[in-house]
Amino acid sequence: MSIERFIKQGVTGWMTSEGEHADIVMSTRIRLARNLVGYRMPLSFSEDEAHQVDQQVTAVLLEAGPELNTNFTSLQMGDVQPLQRQVLVEKHLISPQLANPDRPGSVILSDDETISVMVNEEDHIRIQVLSPGLQLMEAYQKANQVDNILEKDLPYAFDERFGYATTCPTNTGTGLRASVMMHLPALTITNRMNRIIPQIARLGMVVRGIYGEGTEALGNIYQVSNQITLGKSEEDILTDLLSIAEQIIQEERTARHTLMTNSPTALEDRLYRSLGVLSYARLLSTDEAAKCLSDVRLGIDLKMIQDIDMSILNELMIFMQPAFLQEYASTELKPRERDVFRAKLFRERLQMDHRKKGEPGGE
């Protein structure tokens, strides 16, 4: 399967708006960091070592596809154009680090894009599984299955006392990073996130933006993940994160109820104004698109807006990103040109949804 298939397809398997608490938890991610015995870590190894590691990991996974009920495609980052690498980042299929052109890395993707194995990123192997909604245990089981297949044929660097050896000491131990991507507009609107984030940190978890460390909460979307990997079992990490996620879900539901009870007209006005911007704007920046998408998503979840399909919003969440937008346009676009093209794309997609339902959607 070619790179074009992964680039052109906007909505991936983890963006189906399914799974438990899908109105708030957009996706669950499990990531396992592993390294092989006999090779230096990726930050200091040679190109020959990188090539050998890549060959071994790729060979095992390409053969294991049927066992995992999927097919795998291996993409060498050196063969992927810079803009296409950024699209893969925007779709959460690779990390920003792997997109670095100086890294001799690759990614092995399942057909439905729910399994992504990065090779020679910060560690030799980064197994990533993405699932819709709150599915921590289910996603971990799938990641663990991939891990077992690799470990059966490849010698992992593992110590009985300290666990899996990793490039970054904060990943040593289980090598597990679990996260939930949550849409928390009501907590943001009511300024409660400023109180919740420090509380989460004291419990050994961290809150980051939509693309992980160092990124902002674009469109009121936050990632909550574990910080501690050493001294705790995988089950303990997942149980603790699940408990915190469920508490945040309850806080968000309470905040939504408060908004609807105290100022329903003002809330409805805000949500429909955002829908109007997405439907008719001629200039649309990434930040404004993300804010308006968040409002419309909230409107759908609260059943205040009932004539928009959530799958369209999931698609537009990817389409609005700068790299995907330019790839979709088949040309490089300056910032102002991107804002014009983004607005045009949003108008067309929303009108298409109206026409599909037999509703008036012309301008």
Side-chain angles (χ1 to χ4, degrees), residues 189-292:
I189 293 170
T190 57
N191 295 316
R192 297 186 192 179
M193 280 305 297
N194 294 331
R195 172 177 57 84
I196 290 173
I197 290 174
Q199 293 176 348
I200 292 173
R202 287 195 290 270
L203 295 172
M205 301 291 167
V206 64
V207 180
R208 297 189 171 105
I210 186 171
Y211 291 106
E213 188 172 359
T215 64
E216 62 179 3
L218 192 67
N220 302 318
I221 296 173
Y222 301 82
Q223 285 194 62
V224 182
S225 61
N226 66 297
Q227 277 188 307
I228 300 170
T229 62
L230 183 62
K232 296 179 72 172
S233 69
E234 290 89 347
E235 183 178 354
D236 288 341
I237 291 171
L238 296 174
T239 299
D240 289 347
L241 179 57
L242 179 62
S243 175
I244 289 173
E246 289 175 339
Q247 291 178 51
I248 296 173
I249 290 168
Q250 185 55 50
E251 290 266 8
E252 172 67 17
R253 294 203 193 286
T254 299
R256 292 183 182 190
H257 178 73
T258 299
L259 287 173
M260 292 184 68
T261 301
N262 295 345
S263 50
T265 303
L267 177 62
E268 188 175 26
D269 180 71
R270 171 181 173 140
L271 304 183
Y272 270 97
R273 282 178 183 272
S274 290
L275 177 58
V277 170
L278 297 183
S279 300
Y280 299 107
R282 263 50 186 177
L283 287 170
L284 197 57
S285 68
T286 303
D287 287 345
E288 186 176 23
K291 172 192 170 297
C292 291

Side-chain angles (χ1 to χ4, degrees), residues 281-285 325 333-347:
R282 263 50 186 177
L283 287 170
L284 197 57
S285 68
L325 200 68
L333 300 171
K334 295 178 181 178
R336 177 81 170 188
E337 293 171 332
R338 291 201 295 268
D339 291 349
V340 172
F341 188 79
R342 183 181 294 109
K344 179 176 182 292
L345 177 62
F346 271 57
R347 295 197 307 272

Side-chain angles (χ1 to χ4, degrees), residues 302-325:
L302 296 178
K303 296 183 171 37
M304 285 184 164
I305 297 175
Q306 300 184 18
D307 55 353
I308 301 293
D309 194 320
M310 187 68 82
S311 65
I312 295 290
L313 299 191
N314 290 339
E315 183 181 87
L316 291 175
M317 189 176 78
I318 297 297
F319 281 9
M320 74 176 184
Q321 301 294 336
F324 200 103
L325 200 68

Side-chain angles (χ1 to χ4, degrees), residues 31 33 122-123 126 164 166-177 208 213 226-231 237:
R31 193 210 68 197
E122 184 178 287
D123 294 289
R126 288 280 179 95
Y164 293 99
T166 56
T167 297
C168 181
T170 59
N171 291 323
T172 299
T174 61
L176 167 64
R177 291 284 182 178
R208 297 189 171 105
E213 188 172 359
N226 66 297
Q227 277 188 307
I228 300 170
T229 62
L230 183 62
I237 291 171

Side-chain angles (χ1 to χ4, degrees), residues 7-12 15 91 113 314-315 318-319 324:
I7 296 298
K8 294 299 182 184
Q9 177 171 291
V11 179
T12 62
M15 297 180 65
K91 294 181 72 177
E113 303 178 5
N314 290 339
E315 183 181 87
I318 297 297
F319 281 9
F324 200 103

